[in-house]
Amino acid sequence: MNSRIAVVTGGLGAIGLATCRALAQANFKVIAADLHASQSRWDDIQMSMKNLNIHFEPVDVSDFSQCASFVQQVESLHGPISVLVNNAGITRDGVLKKMEPADWDAVISVNLTSVFNLCRQVVDGMSERGYGRIVNISSIIGQTGQFGQSNYAAAKSGMHGFTMSLAREVARKGITVNSVSPGYIKSAMTDAVPQELRDQILASVPVGRIGQPDDIARAVAFLCAEESSYLTGVNLPVNGGLFISF
Ligand SMILES: NC(=O)c1ccc[n+]([C@@H]2O[C@H](COP(=O)([O-])OP(=O)(O)OC[C@H]3O[C@@H](n4cnc5c(N)ncnc54)[C@H](O)[C@@H]3O)[C@@H](O)[C@H]2O)c1
């Protein structure tokens, strides 16, 4: 039985929870890492997960020293981390001429600096053990840009530059590093988009529906499989066909 440890940041969000479930179903012991969870929220989540092997550990991924303590805590409680899914993310939208430095900094810290903060902690151990899977959840917005999202687009395309560089650094150590770029996925993030814009988005998706968190979770689980060892440095678009061209 596979009892490797997988950490999923933003593990209590829409895509995060679906990814925790998919990895637990693939026999990983999963650590859902997120800002905080009340006992009652965590109890509800565990009920819905039907006793899958998923545990919660709090962390603010934008804080380097918290990430260091978090990794120490997880590895002493559960064992060495073999899989890291950097999924935590936020948006603070606004056109550039109105964007406050705090909105820029928050989005870069949570979406991009977090990837450095956690990879920096786990990559030595993975290299020593000769095995690791790192998946960074980027976004279609990092590939296309979006009006009012210069901070988010910069963070998300920065993530893939990071992915390709780290993939090269660790390719001979049995570690793969990949990005997944979701299109428009049902979540609190997309529920906040105005209805008119959501209708326009839906009309543009060739498969004719908004994605579900499980659509992303399946792609992540595929990249995290031991058998996916020849796939590294890629940015996998999971967007319902938005990039099909004529
Ligand atoms: N929903 C979409 O359409 C979509 C599309 C493309 C990319 N993405 C990306 O997918 C990822 C997950 O998005 P989602 O839709 O599930 O959003 P979500 O808001 O449901 O989940 C995000 C999670 O990240 C956590 N988080 C925020 N700041 C954190 C911090 N500092 N430390 C630790 N955890 C923190 C939140 O508490 C939340 O649980 C994000 O990186 C997002 O940018 C989402």
Side-chain angles (χ1 to χ4, degrees):
M1 180 174 149
N2 183 352
S3 57
R4 285 189 163 130
I5 310 299
V7 167
V8 180
T9 72
L12 302 187
I15 293 173
L17 267 181
T19 302
C20 288
R21 190 186 309 110
L23 292 176
Q25 285 167 344
N27 290 324
F28 288 95
K29 182 177 188 180
V30 180
I31 315 303
D34 210 303
L35 285 174
H36 46 70
S38 66
Q39 190 58 48
S40 63
R41 167 112 202 271
W42 181 237
D43 289 345
D44 288 349
I45 289 170
Q46 282 200 308
M47 288 271 284
S48 72
M49 292 289 174
K50 298 198 170 49
N51 299 320
L52 286 170
N53 197 357
I54 303 176
H55 307 258
F56 175 71
E57 280 294 331
V59 67
D60 177 348
V61 293
S62 67
D63 181 320
F64 185 77
S65 62
Q66 273 198 41
C67 288
S69 323
F70 163 81
V71 167
Q72 271 181 2
Q73 169 82 349
V74 168
E75 295 203 324
S76 66
L77 281 177
H78 301 285
I81 295 169
S82 296
V83 171
L84 170 63
V85 182
N86 287 303
N87 165 73
I90 59 168
T91 51
R92 295 282 183 276
D93 297 350
V95 290
L96 186 71
K97 66 180 180 177
K98 292 189 180 161
M99 189 175 288
E100 297 296 337
D103 297 327
W104 173 268
D105 289 342
V107 167
I108 299 295
S109 303
V110 175
N111 294 275
L112 179 59
T113 309
S114 60
V115 179
F116 163 76
N117 289 345
L118 279 164
C119 288
R120 182 72 178 75
Q121 304 300 331
V122 300
V123 89
D124 280 350
M126 287 180 176
S127 298
E128 278 159 23
R129 295 185 296 276
Y131 186 83
R133 298 281 178 268
I134 296 174
V135 179
N136 297 322
I137 306 301
S138 181
S139 170
I140 187 170
I141 305 303
Q143 299 172 290
T144 62
Q146 181 60 286
F147 187 95
Q149 291 200 304
S150 58
N151 50 0
Y152 185 73
K156 292 304 192 183
S157 70
M159 279 174 98
H160 188 58
F162 178 99
T163 293
M164 292 187 291
S165 301
L166 184 58
R168 287 181 186 273
E169 289 182 21
V170 297
R172 291 176 185 237
K173 304 282 185 189
I175 305 170
T176 65
V177 190
N178 293 293
S179 304
V180 168
S181 283
Y184 297 95
I185 308 299
K186 174 126 187 70
S187 71
M189 207 175 258
T190 46
D191 287 347
V193 173
Q195 184 64 46
E196 194 187 342
L197 184 53
R198 267 192 279 161
D199 291 344
Q200 279 173 23
I201 290 168
L202 181 56
S204 70
V205 181
V207 304
R209 66 173 176 85
I210 293 291
Q212 293 298 320
D214 285 342
D215 291 317
I216 306 306
R218 260 187 289 278
V220 175
F222 168 69
L223 292 170
C224 292
E226 188 165 349
E227 295 77 8
S228 299
S229 58
Y230 206 59
L231 235 173
T232 196
V234 305
N235 187 4
L236 183 61
V238 185
N239 62 26
L242 279 168
F243 290 162
I244 297 170
S245 57
F246 298 98

